[in-house]
Coordinates of all heavy atoms in Angstrom, one line a residue:
M337 N -40.9 10.4 35.4 CA -41.2 11.8 34.9 C -39.9 12.5 34.6 O -39.0 12.5 35.4 CB -42.0 12.6 36.0 CG -42.2 14.1 35.7 SD -42.9 15.0 37.1 CE -44.7 14.5 36.9
Q338 N -39.9 13.1 33.4 CA -38.8 14.0 33.0 C -39.2 15.4 33.0 O -40.2 15.8 32.4 CB -38.3 13.6 31.6 CG -37.2 14.4 31.0 CD -35.9 14.2 31.6 OE1 -35.4 13.0 31.7 NE2 -35.1 15.2 32.0
V339 N -38.5 16.3 33.8 CA -38.9 17.7 33.8 C -37.8 18.5 33.0 O -36.6 18.3 33.1 CB -38.8 18.2 35.3 CG1 -39.3 19.7 35.4 CG2 -39.7 17.3 36.2
T340 N -38.4 19.4 32.2 CA -37.5 20.3 31.5 C -37.9 21.7 31.8 O -39.1 22.1 31.8 CB -37.6 20.1 29.9 OG1 -37.4 18.7 29.6 CG2 -36.7 21.0 29.2
L341 N -36.9 22.6 32.1 CA -37.2 24.0 32.5 C -36.6 24.8 31.4 O -35.4 24.8 31.1 CB -36.6 24.3 33.8 CG -36.7 25.8 34.2 CD1 -38.1 26.2 34.5 CD2 -35.8 26.0 35.5
H342 N -37.4 25.6 30.7 CA -36.9 26.6 29.7 C -36.7 27.9 30.4 O -37.6 28.7 30.5 CB -37.9 26.7 28.6 CG -38.2 25.4 27.9 ND1 -37.3 24.8 27.0 CD2 -39.2 24.5 28.0 CE1 -37.8 23.6 26.6 NE2 -38.9 23.4 27.2
Q343 N -35.5 28.2 30.8 CA -35.2 29.4 31.5 C -35.4 30.7 30.7 O -35.7 31.7 31.2 CB -33.7 29.4 32.0 CG -33.6 28.4 33.2 CD -32.2 28.4 33.7 OE1 -31.2 28.4 33.0 NE2 -32.0 28.4 35.1
D344 N -35.3 30.5 29.3 CA -35.5 31.7 28.5 C -36.9 32.1 28.4 O -37.2 33.3 28.0 CB -35.0 31.4 27.0 CG -35.7 30.1 26.5 OD1 -35.9 29.2 27.2 OD2 -35.9 30.1 25.3
K345 N -37.8 31.3 28.9 CA -39.3 31.6 28.9 C -39.8 32.0 30.3 O -40.9 32.5 30.4 CB -40.1 30.5 28.3 CG -39.8 30.2 26.8 CD -40.5 29.0 26.3 CE -40.2 28.8 24.9 NZ -40.6 27.4 24.4
C346 N -39.0 31.7 31.3 CA -39.4 32.0 32.7 C -39.5 33.5 32.9 O -38.6 34.3 32.5 CB -38.3 31.4 33.6 SG -38.5 31.8 35.3
V347 N -40.6 33.9 33.6 CA -40.8 35.3 33.9 C -40.6 35.5 35.4 O -41.0 36.6 36.0 CB -42.2 35.8 33.5 CG1 -42.3 35.7 32.0 CG2 -43.3 35.0 34.1
A348 N -40.0 34.6 36.1 CA -39.5 34.8 37.5 C -40.6 35.0 38.5 O -40.5 35.8 39.4 CB -38.5 35.9 37.6
S349 N -41.8 34.4 38.3 CA -42.9 34.6 39.2 C -42.8 33.8 40.5 O -43.4 34.2 41.5 CB -44.2 34.2 38.5 OG -44.2 32.8 38.3
G350 N -42.0 32.8 40.5 CA -41.8 32.0 41.7 C -42.9 31.0 42.0 O -42.8 30.3 43.0
Q351 N -43.9 30.9 41.2 CA -45.0 29.9 41.5 C -44.5 28.5 41.6 O -45.0 27.7 42.4 CB -46.0 30.0 40.3 CG -46.6 31.4 40.1 CD -47.5 31.8 41.2 OE1 -47.1 32.4 42.2 NE2 -48.8 31.4 41.2
C352 N -43.6 28.1 40.7 CA -43.1 26.7 40.7 C -42.4 26.4 42.1 O -42.5 25.3 42.5 CB -42.2 26.5 39.6 SG -40.7 27.6 39.5
V353 N -41.7 27.4 42.6 CA -41.0 27.1 43.9 C -42.0 26.9 45.0 O -41.8 26.1 45.9 CB -40.0 28.3 44.2 CG1 -39.2 28.1 45.5 CG2 -39.0 28.5 43.0
L354 N -43.0 27.7 45.0 CA -44.0 27.6 46.0 C -44.7 26.2 45.9 O -45.1 25.6 46.9 CB -45.1 28.7 45.9 CG -44.6 30.1 46.2 CD1 -45.7 31.1 45.9 CD2 -44.2 30.2 47.7
A355 N -44.9 25.7 44.7 CA -45.6 24.4 44.5 C -44.7 23.2 44.7 O -45.2 22.2 45.2 CB -46.1 24.4 43.1
A356 N -43.4 23.3 44.4 CA -42.5 22.2 44.5 C -41.1 22.6 44.8 O -40.2 22.7 44.0 CB -42.5 21.4 43.2
Q357 N -40.9 23.0 46.1 CA -39.6 23.6 46.5 C -38.4 22.6 46.4 O -37.2 23.0 46.5 CB -39.7 24.2 47.8 CG -40.0 23.3 49.0 CD -40.1 24.0 50.3 OE1 -40.1 25.2 50.4 NE2 -40.4 23.2 51.4
D358 N -38.7 21.3 46.4 CA -37.6 20.3 46.3 C -37.1 20.1 44.8 O -36.1 19.5 44.6 CB -38.0 19.0 46.8 CG -38.2 19.0 48.3 OD1 -37.5 19.8 49.0 OD2 -39.1 18.2 48.8
V359 N -37.9 20.7 43.9 CA -37.6 20.5 42.5 C -37.2 21.8 41.8 O -36.4 21.8 40.9 CB -38.8 19.9 41.7 CG1 -38.6 19.7 40.3 CG2 -39.2 18.5 42.4
F360 N -37.7 22.9 42.3 CA -37.4 24.2 41.7 C -36.9 25.2 42.7 O -37.3 25.2 43.9 CB -38.7 24.8 41.1 CG -39.3 24.0 40.0 CD1 -40.4 23.2 40.3 CD2 -38.9 24.0 38.7 CE1 -41.0 22.4 39.3 CE2 -39.5 23.2 37.7 CZ -40.6 22.4 38.0
D361 N -36.0 26.0 42.3 CA -35.5 27.1 43.1 C -35.4 28.4 42.2 O -35.7 28.3 41.0 CB -34.1 26.8 43.7 CG -33.7 27.7 44.8 OD1 -34.5 28.6 45.2 OD2 -32.6 27.4 45.4
Q362 N -35.1 29.5 42.7 CA -34.9 30.7 41.9 C -33.6 31.3 42.1 O -33.0 31.3 43.2 CB -36.0 31.8 42.3 CG -37.4 31.5 41.8 CD -38.3 32.6 42.3 OE1 -38.8 32.5 43.4 NE2 -38.7 33.5 41.4
R363 N -33.0 31.8 41.0 CA -31.7 32.5 41.1 C -31.8 33.7 42.0 O -32.8 34.5 41.8 CB -31.2 32.9 39.7 CG -30.9 31.7 38.8 CD -30.0 32.0 37.7 NE -30.6 33.0 36.8 CZ -30.6 32.9 35.4 NH1 -30.0 31.9 34.8 NH2 -31.1 33.9 34.7
D364 N -30.8 34.0 42.8 CA -30.9 35.1 43.7 C -30.8 36.4 42.9 O -31.5 37.4 43.2 CB -29.7 35.1 44.6 CG -29.8 34.1 45.7 OD1 -30.9 33.7 46.0 OD2 -28.8 33.7 46.2
E365 N -30.1 36.4 41.8 CA -29.9 37.7 41.1 C -31.0 38.2 40.3 O -31.3 39.4 40.2 CB -28.6 37.6 40.2 CG -28.7 36.6 39.1 CD -28.1 35.2 39.5 OE1 -28.3 34.9 40.7 OE2 -27.6 34.5 38.6
D366 N -31.8 37.3 39.7 CA -32.9 37.8 38.8 C -34.2 37.0 39.0 O -35.2 37.3 38.3 CB -32.5 37.7 37.4 CG -32.0 36.4 36.9 OD1 -32.2 35.4 37.6 OD2 -31.5 36.3 35.8
G367 N -34.2 36.0 39.9 CA -35.5 35.3 40.1 C -35.8 34.2 39.1 O -36.9 33.5 39.3
V368 N -35.0 34.0 38.1 CA -35.3 33.0 37.1 C -35.2 31.6 37.8 O -34.3 31.4 38.6 CB -34.3 33.1 35.9 CG1 -34.4 31.9 35.0 CG2 -34.6 34.4 35.1
A369 N -36.1 30.8 37.4 CA -36.2 29.4 38.0 C -34.9 28.6 37.7 O -34.4 28.7 36.6 CB -37.4 28.7 37.6
V370 N -34.6 27.7 38.6 CA -33.5 26.8 38.5 C -34.1 25.4 38.8 O -34.9 25.2 39.7 CB -32.4 27.0 39.5 CG1 -31.3 26.0 39.4 CG2 -31.8 28.4 39.2
L371 N -33.8 24.4 37.9 CA -34.3 23.0 38.1 C -33.3 22.3 39.0 O -32.1 22.2 38.7 CB -34.4 22.4 36.8 CG -35.0 21.0 36.7 CD1 -36.4 21.0 37.3 CD2 -35.0 20.5 35.3
L372 N -33.8 21.8 40.1 CA -33.0 21.1 41.1 C -32.9 19.6 40.8 O -32.0 18.9 41.2 CB -33.5 21.3 42.5 CG -33.6 22.8 43.0 CD1 -34.2 22.8 44.4 CD2 -32.2 23.4 43.0
D373 N -34.0 19.1 40.2 CA -34.1 17.6 40.0 C -35.0 17.4 38.8 O -36.2 17.6 38.8 CB -34.8 17.0 41.3 CG -34.8 15.5 41.2 OD1 -34.4 14.9 40.2 OD2 -35.2 14.9 42.3
D374 N -34.3 16.9 37.7 CA -35.1 16.7 36.5 C -35.8 15.4 36.4 O -36.5 15.1 35.5 CB -34.2 16.9 35.2 CG -33.1 15.9 35.1 OD1 -32.9 15.1 36.1 OD2 -32.4 15.8 34.0
R375 N -35.5 14.5 37.4 CA -36.3 13.3 37.5 C -36.7 13.1 39.0 O -36.2 12.3 39.7 CB -35.4 12.1 37.1 CG -35.2 12.1 35.6 CD -34.5 10.8 35.2 NE -34.4 10.7 33.7 CZ -35.3 10.1 33.0 NH1 -36.4 9.7 33.5 NH2 -35.2 10.1 31.7
P376 N -37.7 13.9 39.4 CA -38.1 13.8 40.8 C -38.8 12.5 41.1 O -39.4 11.8 40.2 CB -39.1 15.0 40.9 CG -39.6 15.2 39.5 CD -38.5 14.9 38.6
P377 N -38.7 12.1 42.4 CA -39.3 10.9 42.8 C -40.9 10.9 42.7 O -41.5 12.0 42.7 CB -38.9 10.7 44.2 CG -38.5 12.1 44.7 CD -38.0 12.8 43.5
E378 N -41.4 9.8 42.7 CA -42.9 9.6 42.5 C -43.7 10.5 43.4 O -44.7 11.1 43.0 CB -43.2 8.1 42.7 CG -44.7 7.8 42.5 CD -44.9 7.5 41.0 OE1 -44.0 6.9 40.4 OE2 -46.0 7.8 40.6
E379 N -43.3 10.6 44.7 CA -44.1 11.3 45.7 C -44.1 12.8 45.4 O -45.0 13.5 46.0 CB -43.6 11.1 47.1 CG -42.2 11.5 47.4 CD -41.1 10.4 47.2 OE1 -41.4 9.5 46.4 OE2 -40.1 10.5 47.8
L380 N -43.3 13.3 44.5 CA -43.3 14.7 44.2 C -44.0 15.0 42.9 O -44.2 16.2 42.5 CB -41.9 15.3 44.1 CG -41.0 15.3 45.4 CD1 -39.6 15.8 45.2 CD2 -41.8 16.0 46.5
H381 N -44.5 14.0 42.2 CA -45.0 14.2 40.8 C -46.3 15.1 40.9 O -46.4 16.0 40.0 CB -45.4 12.9 40.2 CG -44.2 12.1 39.7 ND1 -44.2 11.0 39.0 CD2 -42.9 12.4 39.9 CE1 -43.0 10.6 38.7 NE2 -42.2 11.4 39.3
D382 N -47.1 15.0 41.8 CA -48.3 15.8 41.9 C -47.9 17.3 42.1 O -48.5 18.2 41.5 CB -49.2 15.4 43.1 CG -50.1 14.1 42.7 OD1 -50.1 13.8 41.5 OD2 -50.7 13.6 43.6
D383 N -46.9 17.5 43.0 CA -46.5 18.9 43.2 C -45.9 19.5 41.9 O -46.1 20.6 41.6 CB -45.4 18.9 44.3 CG -46.0 18.6 45.7 OD1 -47.2 18.7 45.8 OD2 -45.2 18.4 46.6
V384 N -45.1 18.7 41.2 CA -44.5 19.1 39.9 C -45.6 19.4 38.9 O -45.5 20.4 38.2 CB -43.5 18.1 39.4 CG1 -42.9 18.5 38.1 CG2 -42.3 18.0 40.4
R385 N -46.6 18.6 38.8 CA -47.7 18.8 37.8 C -48.4 20.1 38.2 O -48.8 20.9 37.3 CB -48.7 17.7 37.8 CG -48.1 16.4 37.1 CD -49.2 15.4 36.9 NE -48.7 14.1 36.5 CZ -48.4 13.1 37.3 NH1 -48.7 13.2 38.6 NH2 -47.8 12.0 36.9
H386 N -48.5 20.4 39.5 CA -49.2 21.6 40.0 C -48.3 22.8 39.6 O -48.8 23.8 39.1 CB -49.4 21.5 41.5 CG -50.1 22.8 42.0 ND1 -51.3 23.2 41.7 CD2 -49.6 23.7 42.9 CE1 -51.6 24.3 42.3 NE2 -50.6 24.6 43.1
A387 N -47.0 22.7 39.8 CA -46.1 23.7 39.4 C -46.2 24.1 37.9 O -46.3 25.3 37.5 CB -44.6 23.3 39.7
A388 N -46.2 23.1 37.1 CA -46.4 23.3 35.6 C -47.7 24.0 35.3 O -47.8 24.8 34.4 CB -46.2 22.0 34.9
A389 N -48.7 23.6 36.0 CA -50.1 24.1 35.7 C -50.2 25.6 36.1 O -50.9 26.3 35.5 CB -51.1 23.3 36.5
V390 N -49.5 26.0 37.2 CA -49.7 27.4 37.7 C -48.6 28.3 37.1 O -48.7 29.5 37.2 CB -49.6 27.5 39.2 CG1 -50.8 26.7 39.8 CG2 -48.3 27.0 39.8
C391 N -47.6 27.7 36.4 CA -46.6 28.6 35.8 C -47.2 29.5 34.7 O -47.9 29.0 33.8 CB -45.5 27.7 35.1 SG -44.3 28.6 34.2
P392 N -47.0 30.8 34.9 CA -47.7 31.7 33.9 C -47.0 31.7 32.5 O -47.5 32.3 31.6 CB -47.6 33.1 34.6 CG -46.3 32.9 35.5 CD -46.3 31.5 35.9
A393 N -45.8 31.1 32.4 CA -45.1 31.1 31.2 C -45.1 29.6 30.7 O -45.2 28.7 31.5 CB -43.7 31.6 31.3
P394 N -44.8 29.4 29.4 CA -44.6 28.0 29.0 C -43.2 27.6 29.3 O -42.4 27.3 28.4 CB -44.9 28.1 27.5 CG -44.6 29.5 27.1 CD -44.8 30.3 28.3
A395 N -42.8 27.6 30.6 CA -41.4 27.4 30.9 C -41.2 26.0 31.4 O -40.0 25.5 31.5 CB -41.0 28.4 32.0
I396 N -42.2 25.3 31.9 CA -42.0 23.9 32.5 C -42.7 22.9 31.6 O -43.9 23.0 31.3 CB -42.6 23.9 33.9 CG1 -42.0 24.9 34.8 CG2 -42.4 22.5 34.5 CD1 -42.6 25.1 36.2
A397 N -41.9 22.0 31.1 CA -42.4 20.9 30.3 C -42.2 19.5 31.0 O -41.1 19.3 31.6 CB -41.7 20.8 28.9
L398 N -43.2 18.7 31.0 CA -43.2 17.4 31.7 C -43.4 16.3 30.6 O -44.2 16.5 29.7 CB -44.3 17.3 32.7 CG -44.4 18.4 33.8 CD1 -45.5 18.2 34.7 CD2 -43.0 18.6 34.5
A399 N -42.6 15.3 30.8 CA -42.8 14.1 29.9 C -42.8 12.8 30.8 O -42.0 12.8 31.8 CB -41.7 14.1 28.9
D400 N -43.5 11.9 30.4 CA -43.5 10.6 31.1 C -42.3 9.8 30.5 O -42.0 9.8 29.4 CB -44.8 9.8 30.8 CG -46.0 10.4 31.5 OD1 -45.8 11.0 32.6 OD2 -47.1 10.3 30.9
S401 N -41.6 9.2 31.4 CA -40.4 8.4 31.0 C -40.1 7.4 32.0 O -40.5 7.5 33.2 CB -39.2 9.2 30.7 OG -38.8 9.9 31.8
Ligands
LIG673 S1 -43.6 29.4 37.7 FE1 -42.8 29.5 35.6 S2 -42.4 31.6 35.2 FE2 -42.6 31.4 37.4 S3 -40.5 31.1 38.2 FE3 -41.3 29.1 37.8 S4 -40.7 28.5 35.7 FE4 -40.5 30.7 36.0

């Protein structure tokens, strides 16, 4: 799985961090999401898919690879 985070579209809701805290974090200054791991291990894929599903912005893109 390849994860892409579009920070320009992020609205800093924090949903992705709640869903997958090993893959996403938020910047202290403005809450914009930060990608910690663009190729997360298999056991985190469900959490990452959940993060993408609950993100209120089109900020998280997933691709199989
Ligand atoms: S869930 Fe989406 S909009 Fe919210 S912080 Fe994460 S990437 Fe940004």
Side-chain angles (χ1 to χ4, degrees):
M337 171 187 281
Q338 172 79 48
V339 184
T340 303
L341 175 66
H342 300 286
Q343 288 182 317
D344 56 323
K345 295 176 179 162
C346 174
V347 296
S349 69
Q351 301 291 92
C352 57
V353 181
L354 292 174
Q357 63 183 3
D358 291 331
V359 179
F360 301 99
D361 198 358
Q362 283 178 283
R363 296 196 299 223
D364 289 337
E365 62 269 32
D366 58 9
V368 168
V370 176
L371 188 58
L372 303 176
D373 187 352
D374 67 348
R375 287 188 174 274
E378 185 86 33
E379 63 265 26
L380 296 180
H381 287 188
D382 282 350
D383 289 346
V384 174
R385 287 191 192 94
H386 181 62
V390 297
C391 176
I396 301 172
L398 306 180
D400 292 326
S401 60

